[in-house]
Amino acid sequence: QVQLVESGGGLVQAGGSLRLACAASGRTFSVLGVGWFRQAPGKEREFVASIRWSGSITVYADSVKGRFTTSRNFAKNTVDLQMNSLKPEDTAVYYCAASPRAYGRAPQGFDYWGQGTQVTVSS
């Protein structure tokens, strides 16, 4: 089992920045990649970004490309999501998820999930 805990959410004005962290524990040696997803009220959970556990490959949704950056913090054993130039439409609960096998952009490709952290961007 892999346990994931997100932190760093909050309220920010449009144009501002937030940095989320996903702390991983347990059988992290089995993790191939970590994904970030978000879910706004009344909407489906959507892919935001993903990163190989090694930190070698990153993928971003078109809606966040150029504004968000995901990275591995090997010292803290976290996966971080730096969010810049935030927009009101970025408001959602943000989740990190881990997969032990090949994954894509679908939530079904990830086995382990954190509890989520709320990000609210005011206009």
Side-chain angles (χ1 to χ4, degrees):
Q1 291 284 354
V2 176
Q3 293 79 42
L4 303 172
V5 178
E6 303 95 337
S7 62
L11 173 64
V12 65
Q13 288 187 334
S17 298
L18 280 175
R19 188 175 185 90
L20 306 183
C22 175
S25 61
R27 299 171 61 91
T28 58
F29 60 85
S30 68
V31 174
L32 180 62
V34 171
W36 287 97
F37 293 81
R38 65 188 182 187
Q39 188 165 19
K43 295 188 176 182
E44 292 187 352
R45 191 167 296 189
E46 67 170 349
F47 171 81
V48 174
S50 65
I51 184 169
R52 284 289 177 94
W53 191 243
S54 65
S56 59
I57 300 174
T58 56
V59 178
Y60 297 93
D62 288 345
S63 59
V64 306
K65 200 172 293 183
R67 300 188 298 122
F68 290 12
T69 302
T70 188
S71 59
R72 280 275 282 125
N73 185 323
F74 293 95
K76 295 183 178 181
N77 206 30
T78 63
V79 173
D80 299 340
L81 183 68
Q82 177 67 40
M83 306 185 295
N84 299 327
S85 302
L86 283 161
K87 305 175 182 180
E89 51 264 44
D90 294 319
T91 295
V93 177
Y94 282 71
Y95 300 89
C96 65
S99 176
R101 58 185 181 279
Y103 54 90
R105 302 184 180 214
Q108 293 82 355
F110 294 82
D111 290 354
Y112 308 105
W113 290 81
Q115 82 289 350
T117 185
Q118 177 71 46
V119 171
T120 303
V121 184
S122 63
S123 57

